[in-house]
């Protein structure tokens, strides 16, 4: 693909759902990052041609959340905006669509990103309960209204958690945690290995926070009560293996996936400004980096966590690159078992032959270069946002370490994977 410049990028702090950002809507979160991303590259809203935002749990009062965010951010009304949903990869999909539009010449400047308020995913009522309320609404007389109310039963007042439905795959019938249990079983991943991985994620994230690395990509969020939130609050600096070992499995009685070795429900948003690589001289500072290649692949929904393996294999096949060509790797930590499973699948020759039509294994994800500042287990995973966050963090990490080439990849609920190749500098 034609390289596309990521001129600037920013995100909000990531916060545990139902916590600090619970009262901040997906629109408000998105508006904050879009405005800040523009400001960081000294670009006015009227310079934007199009806004593309990834979002999974679409707010009922903002059907095209990207359009609402664009207008509230000051982007002129004659500019267009649309929302994309590729589940967990929505924040990547928005950027990839922006890349395609820039390459086609349809736009000169695009803002892309993701936003998610998992706190504000509504509680739902069953079809039977909805019908009961409809009878009340249609009642024309007092007698009819009394009869309609008299037909209510306790079951009609039991809500269904929308977030629970959203995290359950309707094809396989498994929720995301249960798919992680499938991988733990298939790849013989122990509870101890998962907990050790989770612990490392928290320790790396805590170190990055202590060194103020993460603050470089964060814009604070004003709160209605108290001080603005200016840092991630999912990170547990004092996390120990002993604490993790005490947690019970939550998806399978005799399983190994716990709240401690899974990513938490999270609120947050992120945005980047995109431009054609040959048109960056108009900005006051050099780009963060460039998107140089991407691949999207499908896989079994029951083993959706392996999506990065299929997508990375496709990326490598299409570009002629190898895993060793990347200086750093960012892979979303939906679950510890999922990332460990991906690494084992990438190292497996038999998996490569059977599943990827390759004669050789993809290779090992060197732990020294993977998620060096922690991942979603510690930072959180606002599903529509994470793809954008991975790209911003990757490019900043490459620049901070003096390295050049990175791979950002994630699994997608429903059985997909996305892999994106990034570079800080293009070859001349």
């Amino acid at each position: 693909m034609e390289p596309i410049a990521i001129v600037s990028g920013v995100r909000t702090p990531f916060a545990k759902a139902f916590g600090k950002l619970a009262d901040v809507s997906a629109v408000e979160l998105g508006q904050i990052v879009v405005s800040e991303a523009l400001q960081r590259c000294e670009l006015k809203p009227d310079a934007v041609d199009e806004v593309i935002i990834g979002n999974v749990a679409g707010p009922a009062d903002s059907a095209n959340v990207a359009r609402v965010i664009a207008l509230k951010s000051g982007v002129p009304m004659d500019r267009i905006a649309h929302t994309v949903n590729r589940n967990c990869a929505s924040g990547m999909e928005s950027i990839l669509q922006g890349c395609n539009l820039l390459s086609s010449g349809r736009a000169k400047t695009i803002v892309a990103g993701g936003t998610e308020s998992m706190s504000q995913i509504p509680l739902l009522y069953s079809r039977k309960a909805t019908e009961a309320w409809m009878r009340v609404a249609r009642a024309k007389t007092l007698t009819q209204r009394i009869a309609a109310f008299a037909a209510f039963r306790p079951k009609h007042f039991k809500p269904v958690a929308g977030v629970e439905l959203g995290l359950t795959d309707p094809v396989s019938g498994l929720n995301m945690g249960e798919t992680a249990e499938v991988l733990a079983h298939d790849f013989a991943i122990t509870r101890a290995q998962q907990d050790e991985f989770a612990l490392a994620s928290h320790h790396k994230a805590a170190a990055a926070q202590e060194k103020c690395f993460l603050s470089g990509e964060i814009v604070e969020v004003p709160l209605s009560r108290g001080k603005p939130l200016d840092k991630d609050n999912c990170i547990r600096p004092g996390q120990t293996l002993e604490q993790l070992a005490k947690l019970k499995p939550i998806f399978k009685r005799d399983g190994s996936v716990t709240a401690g070795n899974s990513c938490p429900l999270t609120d947050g948003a992120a945005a980047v400004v995109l431009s054609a690589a040959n048109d960056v001289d108009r900005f006051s500072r050099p780009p963060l980096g460039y998107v140089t290649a991407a691949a999207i692949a499908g896989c079994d929904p029951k083993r959706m966590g392996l999506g990065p393996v299929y997508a990375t294999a496709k990326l490598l096949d299409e570009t002629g690159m190898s895993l060793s060509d990347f200086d750093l790797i960012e892979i979303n930590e939906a679950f510890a078992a999922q990332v460990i499973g991906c690494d084992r699948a990438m190292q497996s020759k038999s998996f490569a032959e059977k599943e990827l039509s390759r004669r050789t294994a993809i290779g090992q994800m060197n732990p020294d270069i993977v998620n060096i500042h922690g991942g979603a287990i510690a930072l959180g995973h606002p599903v529509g946002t994470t793809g954008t966050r991975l790209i911003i963090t990757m490019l900043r990490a490459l620049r901070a370490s003096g390295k050049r080439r990175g791979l950002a990849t994630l699994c997608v609920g429903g059985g997909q994977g996305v892999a994106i190749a990034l570079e800080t500098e293009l070859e001349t």
Side-chain angles (χ1 to χ4, degrees), residues 12 31 48 60 70 146 170 177 179 194 246 290 294 311 332 348 363 369 376 385 399 404 408:
T12 67
Q31 179 185 350
V48 176
I146 292 173
T179 68
Q194 294 174 60
K246 292 178 181 178
Y290 302 85
N332 189 42
S348 170
I369 68 169
T385 302
R399 290 199 169 277
R404 178 184 166 192

Side-chain angles (χ1 to χ4, degrees), residues 341-358:
C342 283
D343 187 42
R344 294 185 180 179
M346 287 185 181
Q347 294 185 62
S348 170
K349 185 174 183 292
S350 62
F351 186 94
E353 292 173 339
K354 180 180 178 182
E355 298 288 338
L356 307 174
S357 300
R358 291 169 60 100

Side-chain angles (χ1 to χ4, degrees), residues 55-373:
N55 179 250
V56 178
D61 59 353
S62 302
N64 182 2
V65 70
R67 176 64 170 171
V68 181
I69 289 170
L71 294 177
K72 285 183 174 289
S73 300
V75 176
M77 288 187 290
D78 64 345
R79 313 304 158 80
I80 55 178
H82 70 279
T83 306
V84 298
N85 182 349
R86 195 185 286 277
N87 214 325
C88 308
S90 299
M92 279 188 176
E93 180 64 27
S94 65
I95 291 174
L96 293 180
Q97 289 198 16
C99 291
N100 291 336
L101 295 177
L102 288 164
S103 296
S104 72
R106 174 169 138 177
K108 182 176 181 180
T109 306
I110 286 178
V111 177
T115 187
E116 205 75 63
S117 174
M118 300 188 80
S119 294
Q120 296 190 15
I121 298 176
L123 294 174
L124 306 174
Y125 284 93
S126 68
R127 184 65 190 167
K128 292 293 184 181
T130 302
E131 291 171 353
W133 283 111
M134 289 298 295
R135 286 193 292 270
V136 172
R138 292 170 178 164
K140 299 183 181 302
T141 66
L142 178 60
T143 300
Q144 290 174 340
R145 191 168 290 111
I146 292 173
F149 276 117
F152 276 96
R153 297 293 180 268
K155 65 181 180 180
H156 293 140
F157 297 96
K158 182 181 180 181
V160 178
V163 66
E164 184 177 343
L165 289 177
L167 293 175
T168 300
D169 174 56
V171 176
S172 68
L174 303 178
N175 65 42
M176 297 301 98
E178 289 169 334
T179 68
E181 288 285 7
V182 170
L183 297 188
H185 173 269
D186 289 353
F187 290 91
I189 304 167
T190 67
R191 166 70 182 272
Q193 289 167 336
Q194 294 174 60
D195 287 351
E196 287 168 2
F197 183 93
L199 182 68
S201 183
H202 280 286
H203 285 180
K204 288 187 287 187
Q209 193 173 65
E210 180 69 22
K211 294 176 182 176
C212 297
F213 172 82
L214 297 176
S215 62
E217 63 194 39
I218 289 175
V219 56
E220 68 178 25
V221 177
L223 302 178
S224 58
R225 290 176 291 180
K227 297 179 181 179
L229 183 65
D230 61 0
K231 64 180 181 179
D232 303 313
N233 73 1
C234 300
I235 303 169
R236 296 192 292 272
Q239 183 70 76
T240 66
L241 280 177
E242 290 74 21
Q243 292 170 334
L244 289 169
K246 292 178 181 178
L247 299 175
K248 295 181 179 180
I250 54 176
F251 302 106
K252 185 179 178 184
R253 182 172 297 179
D254 59 347
S256 56
V257 179
T258 71
N261 54 44
S262 308
C263 67
L265 299 179
T266 318
D267 302 329
V272 297
V273 174
L274 302 175
S275 168
N278 60 5
D279 192 29
V280 295
D281 291 342
R282 59 196 170 104
F283 298 101
S284 61
R285 63 186 66 181
L288 283 176
Y290 302 85
V291 177
T292 57
I296 304 171
C299 63
D300 185 346
K302 294 193 299 294
R303 292 165 31 122
M304 69 91 199
L306 296 179
V309 183
Y310 294 90
T312 299
K314 189 174 181 179
L315 177 72
L316 299 181
D317 290 343
E318 291 178 351
T319 62
M321 300 174 71
S322 65
L323 201 60
S324 61
D325 289 326
F326 295 103
D327 301 309
L328 294 176
I329 296 173
E330 285 283 336
I331 178 170
N332 189 42
E333 298 172 357
F335 304 91
Q338 166 256 321
V339 180
I340 297 170
C342 283
D343 187 42
R344 294 185 180 179
M346 287 185 181
Q347 294 185 62
S348 170
K349 185 174 183 292
S350 62
F351 186 94
E353 292 173 339
K354 180 180 178 182
E355 298 288 338
L356 307 174
S357 300
R358 291 169 60 100
R359 288 181 293 178
T360 59
I362 295 174
Q364 181 184 17
M365 290 195 294
N366 181 351
D368 293 336
I369 68 169
V370 174
N371 297 356
I372 64 172
H373 297 107

Side-chain angles (χ1 to χ4, degrees), residues 383-421:
V383 287
T385 302
T386 292
T388 306
R389 198 280 298 172
L390 290 171
I391 289 171
I392 295 171
T393 303
M394 167 61 75
L395 289 174
R396 294 186 63 252
L398 286 169
R399 290 199 169 277
S401 58
K403 300 181 185 300
R404 178 184 166 192
R405 188 175 287 130
L407 171 69
T409 183
L410 44 60
C411 62
V412 182
Q416 297 184 81
V418 180
I420 294 180

